[in-house]
Amino acid sequence: MTVSPSLPVRPGADAGVRPERPSVTELRLSAFAGHRNAAFPLGPLTLLAGPSGSGKTTALRAYEALARLGGGARLDEAFPDPHGCVPEQARPDAQSRRGFRLGCTADGPEGPIRLDIAVQAEPELRIVGERLTSGGLTLLETALVDPSRPVVQAAWHTAGASPVTRGPLPDDLLGTALLPLRVAGKTDGQRRVLAAAEQMVVALRSVFACDPRPRRMRAAVPLGSGRLLRGCDNLADVLWRTRTECGRRHAQLVAAVRDGCVGPVADLLSEPAPGGNGQGDAPRAARGVGPGVGHGGSHGGSHGVGHGRGRGSGHGNGPGHGNGPGHGNGPGQGNGTGAGHMLGAGPGLVRAVLDRGDGIRTPLALLGDGELRYLALALVLFTGPGVLEVDPVAEVPAALQTLTVVADGLDRCLDPRQRAQLLGVAARMGERGHIRLVGAVNDASWTAGVPGATVVHLNRERS
């Protein structure tokens, strides 16, 4: 394994000036799947490069698992296939136990904090050892003492009347994430433990694993939370929300899309999908929960607000009140009568389109896989935790958190122009300190000269 930084260390990264936003700066795979004694430096823009089978995906999977543990996930949720994490040549001990070891370093206001964990995968999944250290001082250490109990014995730094405090912790959760619930914070030592644990947890929790899936992105989607999913399936739903939330960021996104897609691009937006609500081209009124009155052909009596109007049949499907004569464009039928008012209006299904100007709009369903992946990854880099499906630390201001985007197969389907443009966006966002990118590529020769990029070259023999 070799590391090729494209730029000297950024100002402020020396020991005298500590970063104010916690972030993971090193991933360690001491014994994890095909990796052994491997350490991957992570900067604002990091690319793991190597041929198929060199362990790029495995490294990203380990990083994502640590992030989930930092967010409070149980061990079996973070490692759904623990047996695949055990090194192939690992031999069971006298008790038929096998496992794996991994860790990371998080830098921030407290300086570099190291976390290392040992996981037993066989015969049962459990954490058998965890160590949190700062500057050579052990802040937390756990060990499995009694295999018959689902706990580990923990000892954390106190520096009071007693140098350490001991107590049991569950063996299926990360002990570091539990320290704020167990440490009182009465002594300087305890406060140091809490600050280090908080820094590690904040650095780990702000991770978004992204793998855009063009086939799913082409379909119209219902309006939902407006938070982007891992596969970017609901990109149209997110655009419906973000286009009006921040005009400056949206303009930057449109400019990036213009640079990476074929043809003119005046805007990127969502619109009601044709026939998306099953009743025509126009948006429908928001659904209610009670009976409504449908309207029929020509002029008739009162109709419910919850009706659908389109070029075909219309159906009343929400509570409504009589509001005068109604006009029907086709046969209609009602489900009953009732009183009430609709709470709002919105489309049933929405689709994303490129506005080409002069009234021409191209649905994203017509774009190629490379264009869709480029567009989705650009959207991720221009947004933040409030838009992505991540679990940031609510107690810490957003300005003090850094989002790390983890993208396996970053260059998949992208042409040379799209790769260069996307890496340029990632570099610019990384300089601002709010967004970091860790991606995997097969060949990193095209990244030469990109400011701020750190390339970690892996070989087939692994590390």
Side-chain angles (χ1 to χ4, degrees):
M1 180 184 71
T2 58
V3 181
S4 302
S6 299
L7 205 69
V9 178
R10 293 175 55 200
D14 57 280
V17 181
R18 294 175 177 173
E20 61 180 9
R21 301 186 187 97
S23 59
V24 176
T25 55
E26 184 182 62
L27 172 68
R28 292 184 299 279
L29 303 181
S30 303
F32 188 88
H35 294 285
R36 191 170 187 83
N37 298 323
F40 306 96
L42 304 178
L45 171 56
T46 306
L47 297 177
L48 306 182
S52 178
S54 58
K56 305 183 300 294
T57 299
T58 300
L60 295 183
R61 180 160 52 96
Y63 188 7
E64 186 180 354
L66 284 172
R68 299 193 68 183
L69 288 175
R74 302 176 71 89
L75 197 60
D76 57 355
E77 296 171 340
F79 297 102
D81 180 24
H83 304 289
C85 303
V86 179
E88 297 175 354
Q89 298 180 354
R91 296 289 183 265
D93 63 9
Q95 287 76 40
S96 301
R97 297 178 299 187
R98 296 200 312 159
F100 51 90
R101 291 178 288 123
L102 72 166
C104 65
T105 297
D107 203 359
E110 299 301 314
I113 306 297
R114 289 175 56 100
L115 170 67
D116 295 283
I117 62 174
V119 178
Q120 173 187 297
E122 301 170 0
E124 57 182 322
L125 184 64
R126 65 198 311 179
I127 294 177
V128 294
E130 177 180 349
R131 182 180 289 112
L132 186 72
T133 59
S134 173
L137 176 65
T138 300
L139 303 178
L140 168 69
E141 188 169 23
T142 71
L144 179 65
V145 176
D146 184 357
S148 65
R149 301 179 60 201
V151 297
V152 290
Q153 185 65 31
W156 54 86
H157 180 63
T158 303
S162 174
V164 297
T165 301
R166 302 183 187 277
L169 291 177
D171 65 358
D172 61 346
L173 295 172
L174 187 68
T176 298
L178 299 175
L179 287 178
L181 303 176
R182 300 295 302 271
V183 180
K186 294 182 178 180
T187 68
D188 289 341
Q190 290 177 338
R191 286 188 287 270
R192 183 174 181 181
V193 170
L194 289 173
E198 179 184 275
Q199 178 171 298
M200 179 61 68
V201 169
V202 170
L204 285 175
R205 282 180 62 170
S206 300
V207 170
F208 179 68
C210 180
D211 185 15
R213 302 179 181 180
R215 181 179 62 84
R216 295 185 179 182
M217 292 167 58
R218 291 187 171 95
V221 297
L223 287 182
S225 65
R227 290 167 65 88
L228 192 65
L229 302 176
R230 176 184 185 130
C232 302
D233 313 9
N234 63 331
L235 182 139
D237 174 32
V238 174
L239 287 173
W240 183 273
R241 167 193 169 187
T242 59
R243 184 170 177 266
T244 57
E245 280 191 353
C246 183
R248 183 179 60 85
R249 283 192 179 184
H250 185 75
Q252 293 175 331
L253 173 62
V254 172
V257 173
R258 188 180 298 120
D259 292 335
C261 293
V262 176
V265 176
D267 200 358
L268 171 65
L269 67 154
S270 290
E271 65 179 16
N277 55 26
Q279 302 177 44
D281 295 341
R284 69 177 179 189
R287 290 182 180 269
V289 290
V293 180
H295 68 282
S298 73
H299 301 273
S302 301
H303 64 274
V305 180
H307 64 269
R309 297 209 304 185
R311 296 175 181 171
S313 302
H315 301 273
N317 55 11
H321 61 276
N323 61 358
H327 300 269
N329 298 328
Q333 67 185 62
N335 296 330
T337 59
H341 297 272
M342 301 308 297
L343 299 179
L349 298 178
V350 292
R351 66 174 184 179
V353 298
L354 291 181
D355 186 348
R356 303 292 191 178
D358 297 329
I360 300 175
R361 292 184 173 182
T362 302
L364 260 59
L366 300 181
L367 300 186
D369 286 2
E371 289 180 304
L372 288 174
R373 282 185 57 84
Y374 171 83
L375 188 153
L377 289 167
L379 173 63
V380 169
L381 293 174
F382 278 116
T383 55
V387 176
L388 307 177
E389 191 64 36
V390 297
D391 182 27
V393 183
E395 298 81 6
V396 179
L400 298 181
Q401 298 188 51
T402 298
L403 172 71
T404 299
V405 177
V406 176
D408 193 11
L410 178 66
D411 57 347
R412 189 187 316 138
C413 300
L414 301 185
D415 63 31
R417 179 185 63 162
Q418 292 168 337
R419 293 184 312 197
Q421 292 291 344
L422 190 65
L423 212 61
V425 171
R428 293 196 302 272
M429 300 305 291
E431 288 178 357
R432 300 176 185 179
H434 290 284
I435 299 285
R436 296 165 67 92
L437 173 65
V438 181
V441 298
N442 290 324
D443 176 25
S445 60
W446 55 275
T447 66
V450 176
T454 298
V455 180
V456 182
H457 299 275
L458 286 72
N459 52 44
R460 290 185 181 275
E461 287 75 27
R462 314 277 182 95
S463 300

